[in-house]
Amino acid sequence: MGVKRSLQTGGNLLNLLTSLLTVLSTATNYWTRQQGGHSGLWQECTHGTCSNIPCQNTLAVTAACMVLAATFSVISLGMGMRIRCQEGESLRSQNAIVLLFLSGLLLLIALTGYTAKNAWKPEVFFSWSYFFGWLALPFSFLAGKPTVTSRDSPTPALQTPAHPMETRLEPPSLVPRQARSSAPGPTFLPRSALPPCQASAFCWRT
């Protein structure tokens, strides 16, 4: 049980790190830097003045995937903490693994689409909010590995007592012939050693 709890604790710590990085990456406006300002998924700031970005298809898909990834990661963290405190939650453990996988997949879709949109622009440089998203991606997959291992770890089986009616018959121990021959038996005296009265079949009392 100590190994299983250690794996669950490690998975929860990785999940917590994934959730923090994903939320910070989604909420901040430092995905790209350009001359005179920076921009994120929601706002674009130029010379200290921030304004909402007009609706764009690629940016909207990236923002939706990041929001869903952060939501799934936080929900999976809550389920992992509950599994850590309660034993026998195999169904919730499976759901937490699925949510972590979906979170990582959504992160991959969002970051790939955003990279394809802005990588070819020479005046745009990716900033720390963008790299936080890429850093959260491996942690989301690594957080599910301890959960799978702790779920598949064998549980020590309980030894069932034998049925009270079941008895084990053992064959009787055989005494060796030599031991039987050496065992003490009745002693017979020769007739010459008996008194005359006991030697004859009829003994008269005098």
Side-chain angles (χ1 to χ4, degrees):
M1 298 302 293
V3 176
K4 185 176 180 180
R5 284 188 171 272
S6 299
L7 290 173
Q8 290 175 350
T9 303
N12 289 333
L13 290 177
L14 290 175
N15 198 353
L16 177 62
L17 188 58
T18 302
S19 301
L20 291 176
L21 291 174
T22 306
V23 170
L24 286 175
S25 177
T26 306
T28 53
N29 295 320
Y30 288 87
W31 280 64
T32 56
R33 282 185 177 275
Q34 57 270 7
Q35 186 176 3
H38 55 87
S39 62
L41 300 178
W42 317 103
Q43 290 183 335
E44 183 177 6
C45 300
T46 305
H47 301 291
T49 303
C50 297
S51 59
N52 294 331
I53 300 177
C55 183
Q56 302 175 11
N57 293 333
T58 305
L59 195 61
V61 171
T62 301
C65 290
M66 290 298 296
V67 170
L68 289 176
T71 304
F72 289 161
S73 180
V74 172
I75 294 175
S76 176
L77 176 62
M79 297 177 68
M81 295 298 293
R82 184 170 182 179
I83 294 170
R84 175 65 174 80
C85 298
Q86 297 179 2
E87 296 295 334
E89 300 287 344
S90 59
L91 181 59
R92 289 192 176 90
S93 176
Q94 184 177 1
N95 293 336
I97 296 170
V98 172
L99 289 177
L100 282 172
F101 177 78
L102 290 177
S103 177
L105 184 61
L106 289 170
L107 278 173
L108 182 61
I109 294 173
L111 294 169
T112 303
Y114 192 86
T115 304
K117 178 179 180 296
N118 297 281
W120 58 274
K121 298 178 180 180
E123 72 279 2
V124 174
F125 302 94
F126 295 108
S127 189
W128 57 268
S129 298
Y130 170 81
F131 293 115
F132 271 10
W134 279 113
L135 189 60
L137 179 60
F139 287 148
S140 64
F141 292 107
L142 290 175
K145 180 62 178 176
T147 309
V148 174
T149 308
S150 64
R151 182 172 173 264
D152 296 337
S153 59
T155 305
L158 297 177
Q159 185 177 3
T160 56
H163 196 275
M165 296 300 294
E166 295 180 358
T167 56
R168 183 177 179 181
L169 299 178
E170 297 183 355
S173 58
L174 301 178
V175 181
R177 183 176 300 177
Q178 183 178 1
R180 291 202 306 268
S181 62
S182 61
T187 304
F188 298 95
L189 297 176
R191 295 178 64 88
S192 60
L194 295 175
C197 181
Q198 296 182 2
S200 60
F202 302 96
C203 183
W204 297 92
R205 295 179 179 272
T206 56

